[in-house]
Amino acid sequence: ALVPGGVTSEVTSDKIAVFSGKLQMISEFVDDVYIPAIFTVAGAYQDYFTIGSGCGRYLSYGTFPLEDGPSNALDCRRLQPAGLLDSNGTLEGVDISKLTEVVAHSRYTSDCTQHPAMGKTTPAAEKADAYSWLKAPRMAGGPAEVGPLARAMVACASGDGIMRELVEGALSQAGAGAEVLPSVLGRHLARALEAKAVAGAMRGWLGELVPGEPAATEVTIPEQASGVGLTGAPRGALGHWIDITDGKISRYQLVVPTTWNGSPRDEQGVPGPMEQALNGTKIKDPENPFEIVRIIRSFDPCLACSVHLLDARGAVRGVYRIV
């Protein structure tokens, strides 16, 4: 199990050997089943390289630090780099001070529009013009897609060798250019290639483990403190903000990947990535709008990251039309 500062399981030679065997099985599955399946689907549904593009801005906190130092140092060397790729192709470092959560169309009181370090979560279920229990995170004033595609886009723009080589090789095999990456199939392809990159890196990390060494660093909870944890989770950029008062948690705010991707419109009326990916989509069969389902699923949303209301009487809470 995970604990602050590490894990509860001690490293042994037997555990390393067992894990090595499982890692080999996973690597073979990725190479022999997962990635080939993506190419098979791409061959049958080439049009999904042209729909579901999203908002055109990509945010990555990076993944797996490769050097010692604060884990939140976004400029440290990582397996996949941190960065904010704008719609004009400009790649910048991540300035977390430019993050804001907007609630113009979220079911929260207006004073909840804050940086998450000062954030509030005060429900307003009947708020006019609100249609989501998700807040609307905005980085440097605009929405941003997070997740495997975002990490791949940032990595390629930064010149990162591992992912750029994998992406360029896969696109060449698919007979497609880089312009098709922002799409339904592009997200699936990025997710599969990332699995290959991580599995390959894990072989090296496994060799660095030393049996008998501590598996956790001792942590003392301070009486007063504020902190932030940023990481590249599987679904995308994940941030936790915490305040401790008198040795206890006094404030805790999260901005999770599905909040980024599934965010509602902001105060300027700008939709989040998933809404933008749906806008303008042509539906072949209105009675079976599977295009919508495939676009949304390409983001791999986590519905547990939102708040839900269930009316046991079956009443309709609202009907919304995507235009």
Side-chain angles (χ1 to χ4, degrees):
L2 295 173
V3 294
V7 295
T8 59
S9 179
E10 294 183 358
V11 177
T12 67
S13 298
D14 288 346
K15 290 177 182 177
I16 292 175
V18 170
F19 187 89
S20 179
K22 293 180 178 179
L23 178 58
Q24 182 62 30
M25 292 174 59
I26 291 172
S27 297
E28 291 175 356
F29 175 83
V30 171
D31 291 338
D32 300 339
V33 180
Y34 188 12
I35 293 177
I38 299 296
F39 286 119
T40 298
V41 172
Y45 298 96
Q46 281 282 333
D47 53 328
Y48 279 86
F49 269 132
T50 63
I51 67 172
S53 60
C55 68
R57 298 178 85 231
Y58 304 95
L59 172 66
S60 170
Y61 290 161
T63 62
F64 305 108
L66 300 179
E67 58 189 23
D68 292 336
S71 60
N72 289 334
L74 296 177
D75 57 350
C76 76
R77 189 169 60 89
R78 295 170 178 264
L79 181 66
Q80 293 172 286
L84 175 65
L85 182 63
D86 213 336
S87 55
N88 60 10
T90 302
L91 179 63
E92 301 177 356
V94 178
D95 183 351
I96 206 65
S97 69
K98 296 181 178 180
L99 168 59
T100 304
E101 288 190 287
V102 180
V103 298
H105 294 282
S106 305
R107 299 185 191 277
Y108 301 102
T109 57
S110 58
D111 61 346
C112 292
T113 292
Q114 300 274 358
H115 186 283
M118 301 171 287
K120 300 179 180 179
T121 306
T122 308
E126 304 301 327
K127 179 179 173 180
D129 298 325
Y131 63 96
S132 176
W133 284 102
L134 290 173
K135 296 180 182 179
R138 295 296 183 261
M139 179 64 76
E145 179 175 339
V146 301
L149 173 61
R151 289 193 286 262
M153 296 291 287
V154 169
C156 289
S158 70
D160 176 74
I162 297 175
M163 281 303 295
R164 187 169 187 170
E165 182 178 342
L166 288 174
V167 169
E168 289 178 349
L171 289 175
S172 176
Q173 183 176 342
E179 70 279 357
V180 306
L181 269 180
S183 64
V184 171
L185 274 174
R187 288 188 191 92
H188 288 296
L189 179 61
R191 188 171 290 113
L193 296 177
E194 184 174 81
K196 180 178 178 65
V198 173
M202 289 179 78
R203 295 189 187 96
W205 299 335
L206 188 62
E208 296 176 9
L209 293 178
V210 178
E213 284 196 345
T217 300
E218 186 175 347
V219 175
T220 300
I221 298 176
E223 284 296 305
Q224 310 286 331
S226 296
V228 56
L230 305 173
T231 190
R235 287 185 173 91
L238 171 64
H240 289 220
W241 284 260
I242 186 173
D243 287 344
I244 296 176
T245 305
D246 297 330
K248 299 178 181 179
I249 295 173
S250 55
R251 183 202 306 271
Y252 205 109
Q253 293 287 311
L254 302 85
V255 182
V256 302
T258 298
T259 315
W260 283 103
N261 290 334
S263 71
R265 297 169 185 256
D266 56 28
E267 69 270 57
Q268 306 300 324
V270 179
M274 285 169 56
E275 277 196 36
Q276 291 197 41
L278 291 172
N279 287 346
T281 300
K282 295 182 179 179
I283 306 300
K284 295 179 181 178
D285 181 3
E287 299 300 318
N288 183 25
F290 54 81
E291 293 91 349
I292 291 177
V293 176
R294 289 173 177 172
I295 290 172
I296 295 299
R297 285 179 175 171
S298 73
F299 286 89
D300 188 25
C302 174
L303 297 183
C305 296
S306 180
V307 181
H308 300 79
L309 287 181
L310 176 64
D311 190 325
R313 296 167 298 181
V316 176
R317 299 294 299 179
V319 178
Y320 308 100
R321 178 171 175 265
I322 297 171
V323 296

